[in-house]
Amino acid sequence: MRRERRRRLALLALLLLAGYLVLRFRVFDSFLFRMLSRRSGLQADESQFILDGTPIRILGGSMHYFRVPEAQWKDRMLKMKACGLNTLTTYVPWNLHEPRRGKFDFSRNLDLGAFLETAADVGLWVILRPGPYICAEWDLGGLPSWLLRDKDMQLRTTYKGFADATEAYFDKLIPKVLYYQYTKGGPIIAVQVENEYGSYAMDSNYMEFIKTALVRRGIVELLLTSDNKDGISSGSMEGVLATINFQKIEPILFSYLDSIQSNKPVMVMEFWTGWFDHWGGDHHVFDVDQMISTVSDVLKKGASINLYMFHGGTNFGFMAGALHFHEYRADVTSYDYDAPLTEAGDYTTKYFRLRELLSEFHDEPLPPAPVLYPKATYGSVELKRCLSLWDVLEFTGEPFRSAEPVNMENLPVNDGNGQSYGYTLYEAVIYGGGRFHTRGNVRDRAQVFVSTQSVGSVDYKNQELTIPEVPGYRKLQILVENCGRVNYGNKLNDQRKGLVGDVFLRDIPLRNFKIYSLDMNNTFISSLDTFRWSQLLEEKKGPVFYQGSLHVRSAPQDTFLRMKGWKKGIVFINGRNLGRYWDIGPQETLYVPGSWILPGVNEVTIFEEYEAGPSLYTVETPFLGRTQYVD
C-alpha cells in the first residue's frame, strides 16, 4: 500500500512539474509540442495543396502588422478566424526594420516574432512576404531610402550595392523567422520570393539571387511568387510555385497559369477586395456583390485564395507611397481599402457576406464574431499655443551649407544615412525678383517664401511663379515636402526627394544654400517643448506648429480627428505621428487608436503648412470622402 502511495505521489509530482514547465516555458509549449505533432510542410506537387499528408485549401487574408497597433493584432486575427479564414499573409517592411544602415528595429509594433506567435495562438497559418521589395502602397515599396545615397543604385537587381545591402538585411531578418516555420513548430507554411517581379523584370538573375538568399539562410517551407497577369511569365521561376493577382476573373487567367505550371495548386495570392486612395481623388469602393461573386467563382474552381486586403489599417507617419505614371499621385493616410474590416477594425457588409460564403467550406460551425470595440468622441482639442517654423530654425542645429542643392537622401545627417521623410528647407539670398522656375527639380511640392512671406507653391504641374520685384537683397526660402516615394513601376531609382537639381530665378540657377533637415520625427517633436511658444492669435499663417490638449476622462477608446477647416499638414498625439491631412481630400478624418491615448490629458501637436482651422474635434465615425466605384 505504501509503495503504491509513493508511486502515485511521484507521478503527481511529475505531472505538476510538467504543467509548470508548460506554463513557464511558452516557447517550449508553442514550438516543441507543435513540432512533434507535424510530419511535413506545405506541398504543391499535385493539383491540391497537401499539408501533413492531408489536402487543404488556403483561405487567406492580408493584414500588415506595421499598419495596425500591436495592441489590436489579436483582435483583428480573431475576426479573421471568425470569418472563416485559416491563413494570414503579411509583408515585411525593410525601411522600418532598418531605418539606418546596420541599425535594426524589431521592437514593439515591429516585433515580427510576437506577431507570428499571436497568429499561431489564434490558430492561423501564415504566408510570409519578406521582400526585400513589397510594393504595398508603402514608401519606396518598403525599400530604405538610404539606398538612394548611391548615385548609381539599381534597386531590385543584382547590382552590388543593392545585393550587399539585401544580404545584410536578410542576415538579421531571416534568423528571426526560422523557428516560426511550420516544420519547426510555427505557423509559416509558405514564403514569397520578392513581389510582383514580373512587372519590373530588370535583371534575369535577380529572382534566383533572392531565392538562394532565402534557402541558404534556412527557409525550408514552400516558396512562391506573386504576379498579375502581365507579369506572371517574367516573374515565375523553376521550383517555385507561381500565384496570380487580380480583382476580376478573365477566362484565360487560370488556363494561362496552367500553361506555365501544369498540375499544380491554383492560388490567387491577391484578390483585391477594394482599392487604395490618393490625395485629390475619390474614396474607392468595390461592389460587395461583385466581390462575393468572384470569390465564389474562385472557390468553385477548387482554387485557394488570399483576400488583399482583409484589414488594411493605416499609413501612419510619412509611410504612404505614391504612383507616378502619367502624373504623380500620392496616397492618403488611411489604408481602409474598402476591405471587409474597416481601418479601425469594424465589420462591414463584405465581412458578413464572406463569413456566410466561407462557412460552407468548414465542417464545424465558425466561432462567433468578436464583440466590436466601441468608438468614442472626446469633444474638441483645446488648442493653447503656437510656434512659427521660422522661430524653430535657429535651434535645429547648424544648417548644412552647399553651393548647389543637395537632395534629401544625400544630406549629411542621421549618422550618414541622409534624411528619409518629412520636409527640407532650402534658403538662398536673392536680389530683386522675377520668374522663379523649378524645371521639375522639386520633389514633390514646395512652398516658396521671400523673407518668410509666402509667394506661392510649386509641384510637378505648377513649376513656376513670380517673385515680386523689390530692390535689395532678401532671403528666398523653399520648404520642400516629400509626399511619398513611388512604390510601383519602373521609377524606383528616381525617387530622391527635396531639390534634386537646380532651381532658377530669371533663368539663373540659385547658389549658396543653407539647408535645414526637418524630418519631423518623434525626437524633433519632443524638442519643441523646450521652445518659447506664443499664445494663439486670431490670424496666424503657416508654416506653424499648434499644440493643445485632448482630455479623456474614461478608459481610452478609438476615435477620429476631424480636420475640417485645416489646410495641409501632419498631426501627432503623445508624440506619435497619425499621418498627413490635406483639404483636397478625399480623407477628412485621421484614425486615433485607443491604445495610443492616455487617461487624462493627451498632447496634440499639429504642423500646419498654410492656415489653421477654426477648431479641431473628435468624432466617432470616419469620413473618407466621396466614393467612386472600382471597375
Side-chain angles (χ1 to χ4, degrees), residues 10 23 209 233-234 303 346 356 403 520 525 545 588 621:
L23 293 173
F209 160 68
S233 61
S234 299
D346 292 334
E356 181 182 4
M520 303 285 180
I525 294 300
F545 295 95
E588 292 187 15
T621 57

Side-chain angles (χ1 to χ4, degrees), residues 195-216:
N195 187 55
E196 295 181 317
Y197 196 69
S199 301
Y200 195 72
M202 295 295 186
D203 185 337
S204 59
N205 298 316
Y206 177 70
M207 289 293 281
E208 189 62 42
F209 160 68
I210 297 297
K211 174 186 173 183
T212 301
L214 294 171
V215 172
R216 182 161 51 84

Side-chain angles (χ1 to χ4, degrees), residues 25-324:
F25 300 106
R26 192 171 180 227
V27 172
F28 180 82
D29 177 47
S30 299
F31 293 108
L32 185 56
F33 280 7
R34 289 198 293 256
M35 185 170 66
L36 289 174
S37 66
R38 296 178 181 176
R39 297 184 298 277
S40 60
L42 190 66
Q43 305 296 314
D45 299 326
E46 304 174 19
S47 59
Q48 289 181 290
F49 286 115
I50 305 295
L51 186 65
D52 274 340
T54 302
I56 68 160
R57 186 199 301 260
I58 294 171
L59 302 173
S62 289
M63 164 189 164
H64 303 148
Y65 59 98
F66 46 94
R67 282 183 160 125
V68 181
E70 58 184 320
Q72 297 164 351
W73 288 345
K74 188 170 185 178
D75 170 74
R76 308 304 193 255
M77 292 181 194
L78 288 170
K79 289 169 180 173
M80 283 185 166
K81 191 78 172 175
C83 195
L85 301 185
N86 57 27
T87 303
L88 177 154
T89 71
T90 185
Y91 285 125
V92 179
W94 183 1
N95 53 10
L96 290 187
H97 286 299
E98 192 180 4
R100 300 184 185 186
R101 188 187 290 268
K103 304 294 184 181
F104 295 90
D105 186 1
F106 290 90
S107 64
R108 301 177 64 186
N109 225 89
L110 296 177
D111 190 340
L112 178 55
F115 181 78
L116 295 172
E117 182 62 33
T118 302
D121 290 344
V122 170
L124 291 169
W125 297 319
V126 172
I127 296 176
L128 191 69
R129 310 174 81 181
Y133 163 84
I134 62 172
C135 184
E137 289 72 62
W138 196 252
D139 188 88
L140 201 59
L143 302 175
S145 65
W146 47 259
L147 290 167
L148 296 174
R149 290 175 64 81
D150 179 351
K151 64 181 178 60
D152 299 318
M153 177 55 66
Q154 296 297 312
L155 300 173
R156 303 182 73 191
T157 71
T158 54
Y159 170 74
K160 181 174 172 47
F162 184 75
D164 288 349
T166 299
E167 296 271 24
Y169 169 54
F170 276 2
D171 282 343
K172 290 291 184 179
L173 171 66
I174 301 306
K176 292 187 177 295
V177 302
L178 285 181
Y179 294 101
Y180 292 98
Q181 295 183 95
Y182 183 85
T183 51
K184 298 181 182 298
I188 298 173
I189 58 171
V191 176
Q192 185 172 299
V193 182
E194 234 264 358
N195 187 55
E196 295 181 317
Y197 196 69
S199 301
Y200 195 72
M202 295 295 186
D203 185 337
S204 59
N205 298 316
Y206 177 70
M207 289 293 281
E208 189 62 42
F209 160 68
I210 297 297
K211 174 186 173 183
T212 301
L214 294 171
V215 172
R216 182 161 51 84
R217 287 171 175 81
I219 295 296
V220 296
E221 303 302 335
L222 178 71
L223 297 178
L224 48 81
T225 60
S226 170
D227 288 280
N228 60 35
K229 65 174 182 177
D230 298 323
I232 196 165
S233 61
S234 299
S236 58
M237 59 189 305
E238 187 69 28
V240 177
L241 182 72
T243 68
I244 195 163
N245 307 334
F246 60 76
Q247 191 167 62
K248 180 180 179 181
I249 292 183
E250 298 177 30
I252 195 175
L253 279 178
F254 286 178
S255 59
Y256 180 51
L257 184 60
D258 185 64
S259 70
I260 292 173
Q261 53 178 28
S262 60
N263 196 35
K264 297 286 186 182
V266 175
M267 173 77 187
V268 181
M269 176 53 71
E270 292 185 12
F271 170 72
W272 303 316
T273 61
W275 204 243
F276 55 91
D277 302 335
H278 62 269
W279 292 114
D282 296 325
H283 173 51
H284 291 98
V285 172
F286 183 48
D287 182 72
V288 61
D289 290 328
Q290 280 187 271
M291 187 199 78
I292 292 297
S293 175
T294 304
V295 173
S296 179
D297 287 346
V298 169
L299 296 177
K300 284 177 182 177
K301 292 179 184 295
S304 290
I305 194 168
N306 177 65
L307 305 170
Y308 188 100
M309 297 293 293
F310 184 81
H311 173 49
T314 309
N315 298 314
F316 292 116
F318 297 110
M319 301 314 298
L323 289 179
H324 195 168

Side-chain angles (χ1 to χ4, degrees), residues 482-550:
N482 167 5
C483 295
R485 297 180 181 86
V486 163
N487 55 265
Y488 182 81
N490 295 331
K491 293 183 180 288
L492 293 182
N493 294 313
D494 187 31
Q495 293 307 301
R496 295 168 183 86
K497 300 297 185 178
L499 292 186
V500 298
D502 288 328
V503 292
F504 300 81
L505 181 62
R506 301 186 301 271
D507 293 323
I508 300 172
L510 295 178
R511 290 292 180 262
N512 299 321
F513 290 91
K514 288 182 180 179
I515 306 176
Y516 297 85
S517 173
L518 305 169
D519 52 12
M520 303 285 180
N521 60 23
N522 292 348
T523 301
F524 177 87
I525 294 300
S526 298
S527 73
L528 296 178
D529 289 336
T530 63
F531 292 92
R532 179 175 296 177
W533 291 65
S534 303
Q535 297 300 310
L536 287 178
L537 303 176
E538 290 186 6
E539 295 292 334
K540 189 75 171 179
K541 300 294 183 181
V544 173
F545 295 95
Y546 294 87
Q547 203 166 78
S549 298
L550 178 65

Side-chain angles (χ1 to χ4, degrees), residues 402-594:
S402 174
E404 299 178 352
V406 177
N407 62 66
M408 179 182 286
E409 294 78 7
N410 285 99
L411 290 175
V413 296
N414 296 321
D415 299 324
N417 288 274
Q419 183 181 342
S420 295
Y421 313 107
Y423 302 77
T424 308
L425 181 69
Y426 298 82
E427 183 178 276
V429 175
I430 62 171
Y431 185 88
R435 177 174 170 266
F436 173 81
H437 203 293
T438 70
R439 298 190 185 176
N441 288 325
V442 165
R443 305 287 176 84
D444 298 297
R445 64 186 308 278
Q447 274 197 83
V448 181
F449 304 85
V450 176
S451 300
T452 73
Q453 299 302 305
S454 178
V455 294
S457 299
V458 290
D459 55 26
Y460 288 93
K461 292 183 178 179
N462 306 307
Q463 297 186 10
E464 63 179 275
L465 51 80
T466 300
I467 294 177
E469 285 283 0
V470 173
Y473 291 96
R474 295 177 293 172
K475 289 181 179 179
L476 179 75
Q477 292 131 334
I478 308 168
L479 181 63
V480 185
E481 179 192 5
N482 167 5
C483 295
R485 297 180 181 86
V486 163
N487 55 265
Y488 182 81
N490 295 331
K491 293 183 180 288
L492 293 182
N493 294 313
D494 187 31
Q495 293 307 301
R496 295 168 183 86
K497 300 297 185 178
L499 292 186
V500 298
D502 288 328
V503 292
F504 300 81
L505 181 62
R506 301 186 301 271
D507 293 323
I508 300 172
L510 295 178
R511 290 292 180 262
N512 299 321
F513 290 91
K514 288 182 180 179
I515 306 176
Y516 297 85
S517 173
L518 305 169
D519 52 12
M520 303 285 180
N521 60 23
N522 292 348
T523 301
F524 177 87
I525 294 300
S526 298
S527 73
L528 296 178
D529 289 336
T530 63
F531 292 92
R532 179 175 296 177
W533 291 65
S534 303
Q535 297 300 310
L536 287 178
L537 303 176
E538 290 186 6
E539 295 292 334
K540 189 75 171 179
K541 300 294 183 181
V544 173
F545 295 95
Y546 294 87
Q547 203 166 78
S549 298
L550 178 65
H551 295 272
V552 176
R553 295 180 176 84
S554 57
Q557 297 171 349
D558 290 358
T559 189
F560 301 87
L561 278 178
R562 186 72 188 266
M563 303 307 299
K564 188 174 182 179
W566 295 75
K567 297 295 185 183
K568 188 177 191 309
I570 49 177
V571 180
F572 297 79
I573 185 163
N574 299 324
R576 291 178 180 264
N577 192 336
L578 296 176
R580 301 179 177 96
Y581 64 88
W582 197 354
D583 68 351
I584 66 173
Q587 179 178 354
E588 292 187 15
T589 53
L590 288 175
Y591 172 53
V592 187

